Amino acid sequence: MTTAFAPASDVQTPQALLPRVLSYLKGPVGSIALMLAAVVVIGAVSVGPAFFSASNVRIVGVAVAIPLIVGVLASFALLAGVVDLSIGSMVGFGAVAFNQLVASGIDPWTAAGVTILLGVVVGSINAFVIVGLGAEPLAVTLGMLTLLRGVCQAIVVQAPPTTLIEPLYDVTQGTTLGIPTLLLIGVGLTLVAAGVVSKTRIGRKVQAVGGDPRAAQRAGISVVRVRTVALIVSAVGAAIGGIFYVGQLGSASNILGTGLEFQIYAALMIGGYSITRGGVGNPIGALLGLLVVAGITNILNVSFIDPDYLDLIVAVILLAAVLVDRFRGGDAFE
């Protein structure tokens, strides 16, 4: 009887695996994973076993879930080379619109459909001005941010609270196998988005448009179409986030979503995305970046440390992420 042995070239020795592991850790996802591990260690040391308790993990998961959904969908605009600053106000506008529609007696499913349609309209307006007319994305979306915030201030005056929406409440407040259901939805969306970005032609087109729009145009890719769809997806994601916030909070306020765009973009940049150039980033990095910010926030809250330090800490981490990105070259992503 003869025994077949695997060729020596097929055997993965520790010496052969080490360069691959190091190259992975040098990449954006590896870097942010190490940062998240550091946050976990700091939490374990400073807070103790309570940091890993089921209730505390659930608090972090609930805090991350909706920004994760909004951030993952907004990241497609970033990948396409467009920064959408209006997502925070769109979250607030979506919440207010959904709240008012349900409070007026409209069926919640119909109200959700109308709210999503409003997201399509806002995204289409952004796309028309930015892509069609060639306006500066930051200026246009900042203007839309201000416009939507003003609309929220006008609509919410004496707005009645919504009644409890059972299916939506079950999703936003319920758990599955002890894990917040909304977090599972966010993680599932992240994995799907990561697969689209890294494994499909659609994802490669989005990255190509963000990385070099002229080269993408010469290759037969419609830059106008890709950026238009990306901006619509970004606005629709924010509208969905607003709907989920109403389910989570029971109503909408005129300040809901204020500053959320900066929280999300800080997490995206920490996770490996770039504000200055498109085509760089991966939804997995977005998830890890949001977990880092949420973990730091939780450590400060549980340790009764002044939460005003959060912005300072996030700013330092963000600067460190930018420096790491520059040292790495910032041209490629896993």
Side-chain angles (χ1 to χ4, degrees):
M1 178 182 295
T2 60
T3 303
F5 293 94
S9 58
D10 293 340
V11 178
Q12 296 290 329
T13 64
Q15 293 79 6
L17 288 174
L18 183 59
R20 295 180 60 185
V21 173
L22 291 177
S23 65
Y24 179 78
L25 292 177
K26 289 179 181 178
V29 169
S31 300
I32 189 61
L34 290 176
M35 191 177 297
L36 179 59
V39 170
V40 171
V41 171
I42 293 172
V45 172
S46 61
V47 179
F51 185 71
F52 301 100
S53 66
S55 60
N56 194 53
V57 171
R58 186 177 185 278
I59 290 172
V60 175
V62 169
V64 165
I66 297 178
L68 176 61
I69 293 170
V70 177
V72 165
L73 294 178
S75 69
F76 281 97
L78 264 186
L79 280 179
V82 183
V83 180
D84 183 4
L85 291 180
S86 65
I87 54 174
S89 289
M90 186 62 223
V91 167
F93 177 59
V96 167
F98 180 71
N99 178 86
Q100 293 299 89
L101 290 169
V102 174
S104 65
I106 295 177
D107 175 73
W109 292 106
T110 303
V114 173
T115 303
I116 292 173
L117 182 60
L118 289 174
V120 173
V121 171
V122 171
S124 299
I125 293 173
N126 282 337
F128 173 73
V129 180
I130 294 171
V131 183
L133 301 181
E136 173 59 40
L138 289 176
V140 173
T141 56
L142 183 60
M144 182 61 75
L145 179 155
T146 307
L147 172 63
L148 293 177
R149 185 56 60 196
V151 172
C152 289
Q153 295 286 349
I155 291 179
V156 178
V157 176
Q158 298 180 347
T162 64
T163 56
L164 183 65
I165 307 170
E166 291 290 349
L168 188 58
Y169 182 85
D170 291 341
V171 171
T172 56
Q173 298 289 349
T175 60
T176 303
L177 300 176
I179 302 173
T181 303
L182 195 55
L183 177 62
L184 291 177
I185 293 173
V187 172
L189 177 64
T190 301
L191 295 176
V192 171
V196 170
V197 168
S198 59
K199 303 296 183 181
T200 69
R201 293 181 61 186
I202 295 175
R204 284 171 171 55
K205 286 182 179 180
V206 174
Q207 290 177 306
V209 167
D212 191 339
R214 292 183 180 179
Q217 191 74 51
R218 289 195 296 267
I221 300 173
S222 174
V223 175
V224 172
R225 184 182 305 159
V226 169
R227 286 185 168 172
T228 297
V229 172
L231 283 166
I232 291 174
V233 168
S234 177
V236 167
I240 292 172
I243 294 171
F244 280 139
Y245 269 124
V246 173
Q248 193 175 73
L249 303 174
S251 63
S253 83
N254 59 346
I255 61 172
L256 183 63
T258 301
L260 184 63
E261 62 276 357
F262 299 109
Q263 173 190 342
I264 288 175
Y265 279 121
L268 289 176
M269 291 182 68
I270 291 172
Y273 285 82
S274 174
I275 297 293
T276 58
R277 65 184 183 280
V280 179
N282 187 289
I284 300 297
L287 169 61
L288 297 178
L290 282 165
L291 285 175
V292 166
V293 175
I296 295 171
T297 304
N298 185 256
I299 291 172
L300 295 179
N301 291 336
V302 174
S303 302
F304 300 101
I305 300 174
D306 190 342
D308 289 340
Y309 286 108
L310 175 63
D311 289 340
L312 176 61
I313 296 172
V314 172
V316 171
I317 294 175
L318 184 56
L319 289 172
V322 172
L323 289 175
V324 169
D325 180 58
R326 297 310 302 168
F327 289 144
R328 188 174 54 239
D331 296 325
F333 204 98
E334 286 100 346

